[in-house]
Amino acid sequence: MNIFIKNIAEETCLCEALIIPVTESSADIRKGLPAQIAKHVNKNHLNSFSGKQNEILMIPAPSDIKPKRILLVGLGKKDSVTADKIRQAGGKTAVYLREAGIKSMALSTGLISSLKMSPAEFAEGAVLGLYTFTKYKTENKAKHIKSLTILSKSSHDIKEKLKFAKINADAVCFARDLINNPSNDMTPKDLASAALTLRTKKLTVKVLEKKDVQKLGMGAYLAVASGSCEPSKFIVLQYKGGKGAPVVLIGKSITFDSGGISLKPADGMEKMKYDMAGGAAVLGVLKAASELKMPVNLIGILPATENLPSGSAVKPGDIVRTMNGKTVEIVNTDAEGRLILADAIEYAKRFKPKAIIDIATLTGACSITFGNEAIAMMGNNNELKQQITESGDKTSERVWEMPLFEEYKDYIKSDIADIKNSGGRNGSLLTSAYFLYVFAGQTPWVHLDIAGTAWTEKDKPYVPKGATGIGTRLILDLIKELK
Ligand code: BES
Ligand code: MN
Ligand code: ZN
């Protein structure tokens, strides 16, 4: 979809549908419309439309104005309009118009600017909401909207915000594509190829093969990879856009999690292709940061592998040595995420980072706790956690802090090794994070568990069913604000 900015009056805009956001009102809704339009709108048309959030009404436009149709979309009560409600309106209307076969839409921005909000939020919601994954449909009858015209003065501020929104939303869609692909088409090698497509002068990509990580002593990561015939790929991206110590982003990249010898039940196992959603989010962030030429230094690490059972797979009770020297008793091969992340965190330290953020579909307990509504956050640095919380509120990729009580250390004590990879079901959201904490040590570090939010079973206003691409918008906002 092309997005334009045009400084013309609503009634002179040649488009199939003119979108006019309105706030909720029990009085005459026409009062909220641009005068030139309001005088043409018949009261009967409005019916019971009252401008409730995401309520939509499409009416034919009078013949003496250029738009063919007028679409009213509700933003809810005037004093409680948020950026997210505007994004939702963008997603809702775009999908509604697409399904109605419309190709060109325009947005009236009077109300949005009078509320001191940006039409860029609307555009972001539209791009995110219009996402589809149709690659495997042989009869693809998908409809497409070709253009969104934003009716506004084309100021520097609007242009910049729009550019950010577009690149940001495209990066989310890029991540969603990677996740939605089935694991037979998204192997560690495929993920490495996707990373390699991001290469530029300032963004370099290095792929460590098995022999390389063997030399580094990544015994925990190698143990997870040992069951699969697909070669593991330890993917490292480096974006140099500024000065100073980098932020390292680590994304869990299990391209399929069967559980390994501690096999998962068959029911729902097909969903475990999304166990690389953390890695996809990291690629999304790196892609957007480099397209936006952000003045920051970033490292992205994707320890990619499948987790499968086989004659060569790691077995419950096996003990491995991690890159940092600690030994781990693998009591459950399905707790594989923390194993690959442990070695990735140790590897990250060589960059002397100012912060490490890992993002992972780490525990079923995370979705049991929060359902689809929040990312669980744990970490050792209050300032960083505070900043991530703020970005979460701004982007509506909400995070909720959970504790790292010292007592959790006992849960993962092993009788014969330094530590074990699972403390059982009790507190597993916290003990999995504690396991990572043991490896992060004093380096400022935050862990984000996205197991509950990386996938949605139902359509949301700007998140269609399937992979959500969560984490990309959150972390991009964070690094934009990080000083
Ligand atoms: N990838 C799973 C966690 C997961 C579950 C993500 C459901 C998304 C949806 C992870 O590797 C896992 O299997 N975790 C186990 C750990 C347990 C064996 C200690 C879990 O949470 O059940
Ligand atoms: Mn698992
Ligand atoms: Zn997993």
Side-chain angles (χ1 to χ4, degrees):
M1 183 176 69
N2 290 311
I3 305 177
F4 307 103
I5 307 174
K6 266 193 196 155
N7 188 12
I8 55 172
E10 278 93 346
E11 62 275 15
T12 66
C13 175
L14 196 63
C15 60
E16 290 176 68
L18 169 68
I19 303 160
I20 308 181
V22 293
T23 47
E24 190 171 344
S25 160
S26 47
D28 194 340
I29 215 89
R30 287 177 296 183
K31 289 204 183 100
L33 304 183
Q36 279 304 318
I37 306 278
K39 70 179 185 200
H40 293 292
V41 175
N42 188 317
K43 200 164 182 197
N44 300 331
H45 279 142
L46 294 171
N47 245 326
S48 59
F49 180 86
S50 64
K52 284 196 188 64
Q53 193 195 330
N54 293 339
E55 196 186 356
I56 283 178
L57 176 73
M58 188 150 76
I59 50 183
S63 56
D64 54 349
I65 65 172
K66 290 274 171 64
K68 295 239 166 54
R69 301 169 190 79
I70 291 170
L71 183 142
L72 304 181
V73 58
L75 296 179
K77 294 260 182 333
K78 186 169 185 166
D79 47 14
S80 58
V81 177
T82 57
D84 198 61
K85 286 184 183 166
I86 295 177
R87 282 195 291 270
Q88 290 189 29
K92 271 271 178 189
T93 48
V95 170
Y96 180 93
L97 291 172
R98 177 186 67 197
E99 295 315 304
I102 272 149
K103 302 264 184 272
S104 59
M105 56 185 183
L107 174 71
S108 162
T109 60
L111 176 68
I112 292 175
S113 11
S114 80
L115 293 168
K116 304 263 177 297
M117 300 271 178
S118 169
E121 307 287 359
F122 187 96
E124 183 175 315
V127 175
L128 290 171
L130 288 172
Y131 172 82
T132 54
F133 185 73
T134 52
K135 158 175 181 195
Y136 294 93
K137 294 277 189 196
T138 56
E139 285 178 53
N140 181 7
K141 298 199 192 76
K143 301 169 183 160
H144 294 288
I145 295 189
K146 294 212 176 97
S147 68
L148 164 63
T149 305
I150 293 177
L151 302 176
S152 152
K153 266 195 232 116
S154 160
S155 67
H156 178 72
D157 181 58
I158 288 211
K159 272 200 223 154
E160 283 298 302
K161 285 200 167 119
L162 205 57
K163 181 180 170 199
F164 183 87
K166 179 81 168 76
I167 289 177
N168 195 0
D170 283 344
V172 174
C173 296
F174 172 79
R176 286 176 182 170
D177 270 347
L178 298 177
I179 304 163
N180 281 326
N181 261 289
S183 75
N184 58 326
D185 282 336
M186 193 43 64
T187 61
K189 189 166 162 236
D190 293 317
L191 200 54
S193 306
L196 287 165
T197 64
L198 304 182
R199 271 183 304 182
T200 65
K201 234 187 199 162
K202 287 187 173 169
L203 198 161
T204 54
V205 179
K206 188 162 86 174
V207 180
L208 305 187
E209 306 293 334
K210 182 174 172 183
K211 60 176 189 332
D212 305 315
V213 295
Q214 266 169 344
K215 265 186 225 143
L216 289 165
M218 293 192 186
Y221 169 61
L222 281 163
V224 177
S226 66
S228 172
C229 298
E230 285 294 336
S232 62
K233 304 281 170 182
F234 192 94
I235 308 161
V236 184
L237 302 92
Q238 184 153 19
Y239 169 67
K240 283 192 184 144
K243 294 198 182 74
V247 173
V248 178
L249 307 173
I250 303 174
K252 176 176 174 183
S253 301
I254 297 290
T255 59
F256 188 75
D257 182 12
S258 71
I261 297 290
S262 313
L263 197 64
K264 286 181 181 298
D267 248 11
M269 201 203 274
E270 74 280 3
K271 296 262 291 298
M272 279 302 116
K273 67 174 185 179
Y274 86 77
D275 214 15
M276 38 60 75
V282 170
L283 289 188
V285 174
L286 269 290
K287 174 176 153 68
S290 106
E291 286 173 7
L292 289 161
K293 301 193 169 52
M294 286 174 116
V296 293
N297 288 331
L298 296 174
I299 306 287
I301 302 178
L302 285 76
T305 173
E306 296 186 325
N307 182 24
L308 294 183
S310 78
S312 59
V314 68
K315 304 171 294 297
D318 287 0
I319 296 179
V320 297
R321 186 180 298 274
T322 60
M323 183 177 166
N324 97 342
K326 284 192 204 314
T327 55
V328 182
E329 182 186 3
I330 301 179
V331 294
N332 189 324
T333 65
D334 198 11
E336 84 296 341
R338 64 204 77 178
L339 294 172
I340 67 167
L341 294 176
D343 276 334
I345 288 172
E346 187 56 35
Y347 184 81
K349 290 181 189 163
R350 64 168 53 195
F351 297 101
K352 307 222 173 338
K354 69 173 163 211
I356 298 176
I357 299 169
D358 79 74
I359 175 161
T361 45
L362 205 62
T363 65
C366 178
S367 47
I368 290 170
T369 307
F370 292 111
N372 222 210
E373 308 313 324
I375 298 170
M377 172 175 75
M378 284 139 281
N380 60 10
N381 186 282
N382 288 334
E383 197 186 333
L384 191 57
K385 282 187 289 192
Q386 179 59 33
Q387 281 165 322
I388 294 177
T389 304
E390 281 165 24
S391 291
D393 291 342
K394 263 170 76 184
T395 56
S396 273
E397 297 197 335
R398 280 177 304 200
V399 302
W400 201 263
E401 187 178 1
M402 299 298 270
L404 282 176
F405 298 137
E406 232 179 271
E407 283 75 4
Y408 290 129
K409 201 177 194 164
D410 294 341
Y411 290 48
I412 47 175
K413 261 199 183 126
S414 163
D415 289 335
I416 57 169
D418 295 333
I419 187 174
K420 59 182 178 184
N421 76 328
S422 167
R425 290 169 62 89
N426 270 354
S428 72
L429 174 61
L430 306 312
T431 55
S432 62
Y434 205 97
F435 183 93
L436 301 178
Y437 179 35
V438 168
F439 291 87
Q442 293 313 304
T443 310
W445 153 83
V446 168
H447 160 62
L448 301 170
D449 194 333
I450 55 168
T453 45
W455 190 267
T456 174
E457 295 292 343
K458 59 172 211 281
D459 288 328
K460 296 179 177 182
Y462 58 88
V463 189
K465 203 152 66 176
T468 62
I470 201 165
T472 304
R473 291 195 304 119
L474 170 73
I475 297 176
L476 200 64
D477 183 79
L478 173 80
I479 58 178
K480 190 174 72 174
E481 302 299 331
L482 268 188
K483 293 284 140 26

